[in-house]
Amino acid sequence: MELQFISHHNGRYSYLDSIRLALDGGCRWVQLRMKEATHEEARNVALKAQRMCAEAGAKFIIDDRVALVKELQADGVHLGKNDMPIAEARALLGNGYIIGGTANTFDDVKAHAEAGADYIGCGPFRFTTTKKGLAPILGLQGYRDIVRQMTEAGIRLPIVAIGGITAADIPSIMQTGVTGVALSGAVLNASDPVEEMQCLLSLIRNNKHQ
């Protein structure tokens, strides 16, 4: 849970390239996110990505597509604010799957916890070009406040920071008390994505809030 890689593509790398690079760099938690793809396009990539993750011993999560998660028996699904409600996904999938939910406020976190989420993707930390229609930016203080409210409410779900995060941000983000970070562009835009992933993992492990 310390680092979730969200698959993406750019001029150099395809979705599958991005996943291979992340796995080669030591990432063991991959989310396949293909918002604009057709079901068949996503399914074809998901089948290959699932095999790659299985061989590496990594968790394989699919963004949004609950039916595809069930069909392929992926490890789980991540649900954004405009996707299927978490409680509905839990009813369809049962308890054997990981379900993550996107949150921007403590109220979102509380609702997801009550609906049966297993982890929270919390953001955005800052503006990011990989996502449209962003919620208000949280920054470091936003994470501190949400983590504190979770502690006070006895909510013990893992919380992953997301949204435009770079290597330079990780030491301060991890000190807010979040469990880990989710990244995409920081890895793919690096000159050596495998080395960048190794560096990011090391930064997260060395800066965990005590």
Side-chain angles (χ1 to χ4, degrees):
M1 183 58 79
E2 56 196 5
L3 195 158
Q4 183 174 139
F5 177 71
I6 300 174
S7 65
H8 199 50
H9 64 97
N10 60 19
R12 285 192 296 170
Y13 304 118
S14 69
Y15 283 106
L16 288 172
D17 289 335
S18 78
I19 291 169
R20 177 179 51 77
L21 291 164
L23 294 171
D24 286 352
C27 180
R28 292 298 175 259
W29 189 287
V30 169
Q31 182 192 137
L32 178 65
R33 187 173 187 275
M34 298 178 68
K35 282 290 188 201
E36 312 300 324
T38 66
H39 175 78
E40 209 47 46
E41 286 168 342
R43 187 178 183 277
N44 288 339
V45 173
L47 281 165
K48 292 170 185 160
Q50 186 176 27
R51 276 199 299 274
M52 289 160 63
C53 288
E55 285 166 9
K59 294 283 185 203
F60 178 57
I61 306 291
I62 299 175
D63 176 71
D64 183 13
R65 302 169 189 265
V66 175
L68 186 59
V69 170
K70 190 162 190 178
E71 180 197 342
L72 301 188
Q73 296 188 317
D75 291 305
V77 67
H78 185 87
L79 297 167
K81 288 192 160 186
N82 300 318
D83 299 335
M84 181 186 288
I86 285 169
E88 191 179 329
R90 180 63 74 201
L92 285 168
L93 293 173
N95 291 326
Y97 291 83
I98 298 163
I99 299 180
T102 296
N104 179 248
T105 65
F106 172 69
D107 287 342
D108 293 339
V109 172
K110 188 166 178 285
H112 291 344
E114 288 167 357
D118 295 299
Y119 76 90
I120 304 295
C122 194
F125 171 64
R126 69 156 60 88
F127 177 77
T128 171
T129 56
T130 61
K131 212 161 185 190
K132 296 170 185 167
L134 279 178
I137 288 162
L138 287 170
L140 294 172
Q141 191 57 48
Y143 288 123
R144 288 189 201 104
D145 291 344
I146 288 172
V147 169
R148 176 182 51 77
Q149 289 171 290
M150 286 175 69
T151 303
E152 288 169 359
I155 297 171
R156 302 189 183 280
L157 292 181
I159 179 166
V160 179
I162 184 169
I165 294 167
T166 66
D169 301 315
I170 286 176
S172 51
I173 286 177
M174 291 306 295
Q175 288 304 306
T176 65
V178 298
T179 315
V181 299
L183 294 161
S184 182
V187 177
L188 285 199
N189 298 331
S191 57
D192 185 335
V194 172
E195 188 179 355
E196 184 70 10
M197 177 59 78
Q198 291 167 340
C199 169
L200 291 162
L201 281 164
S202 176
L203 279 167
I204 292 166
R205 288 166 184 163
N206 292 336
N207 287 284
K208 278 190 175 167
H209 183 69
Q210 298 303 318

